[in-house]
Amino acid sequence: MTYEMVIGLETHVELSTKSKIFCSCTTAFGGAPNTHCCPICTGQPGSLPVLNKSVVQYAVTAGLALNCRINRHSVMARKHYVYPDLPKAYQISQYELPLCEGGWVELSGGKRINLTRIHIEEDAGKLVHQGSAVFVDYNRGGVPLIEIVSEPDFRSAEEATEYLEKLQTILRAVGVSDCRMQEGSMRCDVNISLRPKGETAFGVRAEIKNLNSFTSVAAAIEHEFKRQEEILSSGGVVVQETRHFDADTGETTNLRGKENADDYRYFPDPDIIPVILPYDVLEQLESSLPELPDKKLARYVSQLGVPEADARMLTKYRAVSDYFEKASAGVQNPKTVATFMVTQMFGVIQTEAEREHWSPSVTAEQLGELTRLLESDKISRNLAKRVFSQMLETGKPATAFITEEDMAGFDASALKALCQKAIDDNPKSVDDYKAGKEKAIKALVGAVMRESKGRANALAAEEELKKLIIG
Amino acid sequence: MTTIQAVHHLLTNREVTCRELTVRYLKAADDVNPQVNAYISLTKEAALAAADAVDKKLCRGEALAPLEGVPFCLKDNISTKGLATTCASHMLENYVPIYDAAIWEALGTQNAILVGKGNMDEFAMGSTCENSYFGGSKNPHNLGHVAGGSSGGVAAAVAANIAVYGIGSDTGGSIRMPASFCGLVGLKPTYGAVSRRGLIAYGSSLDQIGPITTCVEDAALVFDAICEKDPGDMTSRGAAPVADRLTGDIKGLKIGIASEFFEGLSGDVDKALSDAVALYEKLGAEIVPLHFPLLQYVLPTYYIIACAEASSNLGRYDGLRYGHQAPSFSDLNDFICRTRTEGFGKEVRRRILLGTYVLSAGYYDAYYNKAQQLRRAIVREFSDMFARCDVILTPTVPVTALQFGADLSPVETYQTDICTCSVNIAGLPAVSIPCGVDSKSLPIGLQLIGGRFREATVLNAALAFERETARSYLKTADMGVAL
Ligand SMILES: [Zn+2]
């Protein structure tokens, strides 16, 4: 029997607001333990939460970017569980009436992953183990999150990872989160069940909690598929449970079973009035939504003539695409800018983290200037490449590396003189060409290039040579 | 008993310095408290520092705000930075908050003289003030009787003349009931009129801070000082000041009487209420008969919502960050279990369990959801009644102060809240004022309920009654400070 996997993802994304969801404490990452805290985020007796408006706006923006229906009326609820990193013994989240419902993410093959809902909630603190002691750091407590719940629409680990990459790209593009899995600002729970291929009913699912990298998600899914497949094909029954993935062993292990399933005792938080989104705010958020990565990609390819592979790299991070568009301003062929960026800049700015931060030594204006020099035939492509390398190394503008000598010889008369010299110096090649040996022209072009120390435009030289020989 | 206005006069006319006054109250509190048990802690240093600030202002010839320099008692579930705030619980016996409640900030800027923190039922759960880890407060009118709960300590302090006024909290009658038992005025403002920031929560959607005073005008003065809108409490709305609007004229006022509130009253209470109604008619009010059929559902609705919210609000007391910690345990679960079992009293544990039960997955719809539906229906029924009248008059409590250790069953005790609870469910303002005494000279209270933010209407009706009776029904307890 062959089995197919049915996967749903719950993705937690930290919003990049400056202050926490219910108080004015900073959300800055790090800091000495328990220094980004106040009576509200540590749940002191009598303290009251005050919902941060920008959290709602960020979450609405995320919902709009992911094609959700935005509920103008939503309600904050308390989700109860006891854990030392949760100082109130409940997490303020949303249950009935979440902020966003529906929506979808389209994978590159055109398949849509449907979303159930997106809701806002607060993050918990963090346990710090030191030897046999355990400490609690509440700096992260109260940092705003959105939870994006998908329908069980995934059928492979690849789809799951592509979806997560897509989410990352989209949420970064609209500026609501930096989605850094390594810093925990994006994490994922996987629900996975198996069923015989062709079957429509769902099997019993296991939930794997708190995955914090794409590779973990993929590995956990693969491992869980094998584990459940073995159980099913040997006639066993999968039990509903919560499992933990160990990145070192690549295996999942039981965390807790269904027998002590959580009863969160949700109810509307009486301290927080219902969230009412005014029409004008919703309209304003809708109209200020930036161009989304998929649209941008299509535009780069169809309108700007950028090869799709390059366009994908350029649209992955907002800062990169902003840079590209700025550098392309006033340029005839934006593809040239794309090529500079993909072949040379990405060679220097190699890690994803560096690309995400995107603070290259060369400004967009400087790259634009270089491109325009190249396009107006003032310098050769080879020279431009060399110059760009030096620019990247030093952060200085193109003019710092282009001498008058470099520029000389690139107006029409100078090229003509060079070509005439090549013809005069190589009568044999001229005769060969006249005799119909097309290849002979290459020797003459070579001579021009040598004479110009590689600065001449080979194509222009070839045309000029032909004109001079044939007359 | 004295009034805020009287103390204000003494101070501004320089008949007494604020320090002298404060020392007298502190001394009296020291003497009287062992008998009455009104205060859990006395806050001498804070009181004297505030008193000196007032005296400095007087020396500079500056005017005093109405509450400035007036000694008062603050219920011990209101957070005071650096001053123990115990909720009368073993759980918070040694808890010293790191921040101030909004109301203490507001009164602090007025140099209010905090004599001490008032005794209460543990976490404000109770109707007799006997559920305090520090022992019950006694009724200054008869020390063999309870002061009423849960703000019993605050009421006892005022009635025993060791505070000029008090600040309590009212979740289901916790201001009005002890006011009634102790012969005082207790105002439960509209939900949202006074910030709850820093009030250690019992039932968040029901809790409201308010004054316990010796007269209606004082209640208005305190209300005006504390009714500011607070951006730190999303449910806070603030309210317009009322003191200037009180005339005592109630000609044409429509007073609604719903017969359901008058069932099962003790003879003395029944008589006092009938006399009060007659008096109101004499003063020119029009009596409008009403029906409140949902009253029979008020107590279950109230206890389900209050306990559900309490079970949630009290989850944070796990001994990990503050409060009681179990001295011996085997693992984290055992630690939390023991800490909570040792730290909470019986009534608190009972309500947490009840609340956890009604919120749990299998019972949520049957209990909590039903209670929410009933709550909405009760709100509607009140607005129907207020379409026909300006205020609704009821007894505050069907009985007078119980004897200490009367040992009623929990359900019998809960029934003493029947007239007060509906007001919290609907978020309305209500005041309890004295309207007579029983055969043992224990005070009887009547309650006036108003529409949302109609504090002025309610207090004006109360003032008319108070003026007419000239507080003849009040006997001052023979203790504390007499000015
Ligand atoms: Zn904070």
Side-chain angles (χ1 to χ4, degrees):
Chain A
M1 174 119 41
T2 49
Y3 291 95
E4 78 168 349
M5 50 176 126
V6 175
I7 305 168
L9 296 186
E10 288 167 21
T11 312
H12 290 87
V13 173
E14 223 171 81
L15 299 177
S16 18
T17 55
K18 294 219 160 45
S19 54
K20 291 186 179 181
I21 183 166
F22 299 121
C23 61
S24 54
C25 293
T26 176
T27 53
F29 184 73
N34 296 309
T35 52
H36 300 167
C37 290
C38 74
I40 295 171
C41 54
T42 56
Q44 299 293 312
S47 62
L48 293 177
V50 178
L51 183 59
N52 179 348
K53 273 187 188 154
S54 42
V55 168
V56 177
Q57 299 188 350
Y58 275 56
V60 168
T61 301
L64 291 170
L66 297 171
N67 312 295
C68 297
R69 253 184 347 269
I70 308 299
N71 287 329
R72 289 192 53 246
H73 176 265
S74 65
V75 170
M76 302 305 299
R78 294 182 180 180
K79 176 182 181 179
H80 299 84
Y81 61 93
V82 174
Y83 205 66
D85 65 3
L86 193 70
K88 299 186 292 291
Y90 58 82
Q91 178 194 30
I92 304 178
S93 178
Q94 293 191 301
Y95 184 54
E96 288 172 293
L97 296 176
L99 190 62
C100 317
E101 288 182 281
W104 73 85
V105 171
E106 194 168 294
L107 303 184
S108 54
K111 176 174 176 175
R112 273 186 184 180
I113 302 299
N114 292 294
L115 305 181
T116 315
R117 58 190 271 154
I118 301 178
H119 65 249
I120 46 182
E121 60 185 35
E122 60 178 331
D123 207 345
K126 183 172 83 177
L127 295 188
V128 182
H129 297 262
Q130 267 177 31
S132 62
V134 184
F135 297 89
V136 197
D137 177 5
Y138 291 109
N139 279 357
R140 218 173 58 188
V143 165
L145 301 177
I146 48 175
E147 182 174 338
I148 305 168
V149 183
S150 87
E151 296 285 314
D153 286 352
F154 302 94
R155 295 293 173 270
S156 69
E158 290 74 31
E159 285 180 355
T161 44
E162 193 196 339
Y163 162 86
L164 290 172
E165 276 173 26
K166 266 245 128 116
L167 273 188
Q168 223 179 24
T169 309
I170 294 169
L171 296 176
R172 282 171 175 168
V174 296
V176 300
S177 175
D178 55 28
C179 292
R180 287 195 198 117
M181 287 194 103
Q182 69 280 8
E183 284 178 16
S185 71
M186 182 176 186
R187 19 186 222 277
C188 195
D189 302 341
V190 175
N191 286 301
I192 174 167
S193 66
L194 266 55
R195 64 184 175 195
K197 240 187 170 119
E199 183 77 59
T200 51
F202 294 131
V204 178
R205 68 190 167 86
E207 183 177 32
I208 312 157
K209 284 268 188 204
N210 254 323
L211 297 163
N212 57 9
S213 73
F214 292 151
T215 45
S216 297
V217 171
I221 289 174
E222 296 298 355
H223 178 270
E224 195 54 25
F225 179 76
K226 281 202 201 90
R227 188 187 71 87
Q228 294 190 20
E229 190 184 36
E230 269 168 33
I231 295 172
L232 292 172
S233 47
S234 62
V237 182
V238 175
V239 285
Q240 187 173 334
E241 61 186 342
T242 302
R243 297 181 71 83
H244 165 76
F245 175 71
D246 185 336
D248 294 330
T249 63
E251 291 181 358
T252 65
T253 50
N254 175 274
L255 204 58
R256 53 185 188 272
K258 196 196 177 185
E259 60 279 5
N260 45 15
D262 299 302
D263 179 357
Y264 292 121
R265 292 177 286 120
Y266 282 101
F267 77 100
D269 192 321
D271 289 331
I272 303 178
I273 56 176
V275 182
I276 310 284
L277 195 65
Y279 269 123
D280 55 335
V281 173
L282 182 58
E283 261 170 27
Q284 195 255 323
L285 290 171
E286 249 172 331
S287 63
S288 59
L289 201 66
E291 185 182 32
L292 296 177
D294 275 354
K295 266 205 161 153
K296 201 173 266 182
L297 178 75
R299 180 167 63 85
Y300 284 9
V301 174
S302 66
Q303 288 179 27
L304 305 184
V306 177
E308 189 173 326
D310 289 1
R312 274 195 193 285
M313 296 176 85
L314 295 178
T315 50
K316 189 160 180 193
Y317 301 105
R318 171 94 175 264
V320 176
S321 63
D322 284 352
Y323 179 95
F324 166 70
E325 295 190 23
K326 207 167 170 191
S328 301
V331 160
Q332 289 164 26
N333 192 356
K335 187 186 161 199
T336 313
V337 176
T339 309
F340 273 123
M341 288 179 70
V342 171
T343 57
Q344 288 188 265
M345 293 188 90
F346 281 30
V348 180
I349 304 171
Q350 286 181 330
T351 68
E352 290 296 316
E354 284 171 338
R355 287 182 192 177
E356 186 192 338
H357 280 109
W358 199 252
S359 50
S361 47
V362 173
T363 66
E365 288 80 3
Q366 288 171 351
L367 174 55
E369 185 194 18
L370 176 69
T371 309
R372 284 190 299 277
L373 279 173
L374 177 65
E375 286 184 336
S376 61
D377 271 343
K378 295 244 167 64
I379 56 170
S380 73
R381 190 164 290 274
N382 278 335
L383 176 63
K385 272 190 186 170
R386 275 209 315 276
V387 164
F388 193 46
S389 296
Q390 283 168 297
M391 288 166 71
L392 283 170
E393 244 170 65
T394 61
K396 289 180 184 158
T399 47
F401 308 104
I402 301 174
T403 60
E404 291 215 3
E405 196 190 342
D406 289 328
M407 303 278 277
F410 291 96
D411 58 15
S413 67
L415 182 67
K416 195 173 172 182
L418 278 172
C419 290
Q420 192 59 57
K421 186 168 188 294
I423 289 169
D424 295 347
D425 291 352
N426 300 283
K428 181 161 185 318
S429 297
V430 175
D431 291 343
D432 286 351
Y433 181 70
K434 280 181 177 164
K437 285 189 186 165
E438 280 286 329
K439 269 168 95 182
I441 199 79
K442 297 291 177 204
L444 291 165
V445 172
V448 172
M449 297 310 283
R450 271 194 303 283
E451 189 64 29
S452 71
K453 295 187 186 112
R455 288 165 299 171
N457 180 328
L459 275 176
E462 188 174 327
E463 257 173 55
E464 187 62 35
L465 283 165
K466 286 177 181 170
K467 250 197 282 177
L468 286 172
I469 294 168
I470 294 157
Chain B
M1 288 193 293
T2 188
T3 65
I4 292 171
Q5 285 167 309
V7 172
H8 184 77
H9 274 290
L10 290 177
L11 289 171
T12 47
N13 294 339
R14 314 292 290 269
E15 287 174 36
V16 62
T17 68
C18 192
R19 180 170 259 268
E20 285 162 6
L21 178 83
T22 303
V23 168
R24 286 183 69 183
Y25 272 89
L26 287 170
K27 168 96 182 40
D30 254 343
D31 292 346
V32 171
N33 206 44
Q35 307 163 56
V36 180
N37 203 21
Y39 288 107
I40 288 176
S41 55
L42 294 175
T43 47
K44 291 183 189 177
E45 280 170 35
L48 291 172
D52 289 343
V54 171
D55 283 331
K56 272 194 194 123
K57 269 184 98 167
L58 285 167
C59 284
R60 290 194 300 262
E62 290 173 39
L64 296 185
L67 302 187
E68 202 152 13
V70 183
F72 83 113
C73 170
L74 187 65
K75 193 174 179 179
D76 208 21
N77 58 351
I78 293 171
S79 187
T80 44
K81 185 175 174 177
L83 303 171
T85 302
T86 68
C87 278
S89 179
H90 182 36
M91 184 62 89
L92 292 179
E93 189 178 359
N94 299 309
Y95 172 66
V96 178
I98 57 169
Y99 75 105
D100 281 328
I103 181 159
W104 176 226
E105 279 174 358
L107 293 171
T109 57
Q110 283 213 18
N111 290 319
I113 310 295
L114 180 65
V115 179
K117 303 293 293 283
N119 197 9
M120 56 187 281
D121 284 307
E122 183 179 1
F123 280 99
M125 297 174 189
S127 313
T128 60
C129 204
E130 288 169 289
N131 298 327
S132 166
Y133 178 69
F134 304 101
S137 291
K138 303 203 171 117
N139 193 318
H141 292 272
N142 183 332
L143 297 177
H145 289 251
V146 302
S150 68
S151 311
V154 177
V158 179
N161 302 312
I162 47 179
V164 180
Y165 71 97
I167 299 284
S169 71
D170 189 315
T171 309
S174 290
I175 284 174
R176 290 158 288 162
M177 174 183 279
S180 175
F181 281 5
C182 294
L184 299 166
V185 175
L187 172 67
K188 183 258 158 199
T190 307
Y191 184 76
V194 180
S195 172
R196 291 182 296 117
R197 178 164 54 90
L199 169 65
I200 297 179
Y202 159 24
S204 311
S205 73
L206 304 157
D207 294 343
Q208 188 61 199
I209 290 174
I212 294 177
T213 57
T214 60
C215 69
V216 173
E217 281 168 314
D218 278 5
L221 285 176
V222 180
F223 177 75
D224 287 358
I226 63 177
C227 66
E228 215 170 339
K229 179 175 165 64
D230 174 16
D233 171 2
M234 292 189 84
T235 63
S236 140
R237 292 273 171 283
V242 298
D244 287 348
R245 291 192 273 158
L246 302 188
T247 59
D249 177 10
I250 55 156
K251 272 193 196 67
L253 185 81
K254 289 182 181 158
I255 298 181
I257 306 277
S259 53
E260 289 83 353
F261 282 114
F262 292 79
E263 283 161 18
L265 301 184
S266 78
D268 293 329
V269 175
D270 199 21
K271 170 81 170 49
L273 264 291
S274 309
D275 291 350
V277 172
L279 181 61
Y280 268 115
E281 275 189 292
K282 199 190 106 193
L283 292 172
E286 182 191 333
I287 303 301
V288 180
L290 298 171
H291 277 292
F292 186 26
L294 286 179
L295 184 67
Q296 57 178 314
Y297 299 113
V298 158
L299 282 176
T301 301
Y302 170 80
Y303 276 97
I304 286 168
I305 291 171
C307 293
E309 292 181 0
S311 75
S312 172
N313 286 328
L314 271 58
R316 69 192 71 202
Y317 304 105
D318 54 17
L320 292 170
R321 290 163 300 277
Y322 44 76
H324 175 69
Q325 299 190 314
S328 66
F329 52 90
S330 57
D331 59 15
L332 180 65
N333 262 337
D334 187 50
F335 169 77
I336 294 175
C337 255
R338 283 171 189 260
T339 294
R340 290 170 67 81
T341 308
E342 294 164 8
F344 289 136
K346 204 170 166 187
E347 185 59 30
V348 173
R349 278 180 280 147
R350 188 192 335 269
R351 294 193 195 193
I352 290 173
L353 287 175
L354 193 62
T356 306
Y357 178 81
V358 300
L359 283 178
S360 59
Y363 303 97
Y364 183 88
D365 285 331
Y367 294 104
Y368 184 76
N369 241 352
K370 266 276 150 47
Q372 290 290 38
Q373 284 166 12
L374 275 164
R375 183 177 198 166
R376 287 189 286 272
I378 290 165
V379 169
R380 274 198 304 276
E381 208 149 87
F382 264 116
S383 50
D384 289 349
M385 290 192 282
F386 281 116
R388 301 182 53 209
C389 68
D390 303 306
V391 295
I392 296 170
L393 187 153
T394 79
T396 307
V397 195
V399 294
T400 50
L402 304 168
Q403 267 186 325
F404 247 92
D407 204 24
L408 302 180
S409 76
V411 173
E412 284 170 319
T413 311
Y414 296 167
Q415 272 167 349
T416 55
D417 298 343
I418 184 93
C419 298
T420 48
C421 278
S422 55
V423 170
N424 300 71
I425 289 174
L428 303 171
V431 65
S432 175
I433 52 169
C435 68
V437 289
D438 70 3
S439 54
K440 291 161 93 179
S441 293
L442 286 168
I444 296 167
L446 74 77
Q447 172 176 247
L448 295 160
I449 309 169
R452 283 172 60 76
F453 295 104
R454 293 301 177 84
E455 277 82 358
T457 311
V458 164
L459 288 173
N460 200 48
L463 181 63
F465 186 87
E466 185 179 274
R467 281 199 180 148
E468 188 61 24
T469 54
R471 302 217 288 271
S472 58
Y473 42 81
L474 289 178
K475 304 246 178 336
T476 292
D478 188 21
M479 54 178 79
V481 178
L483 289 172

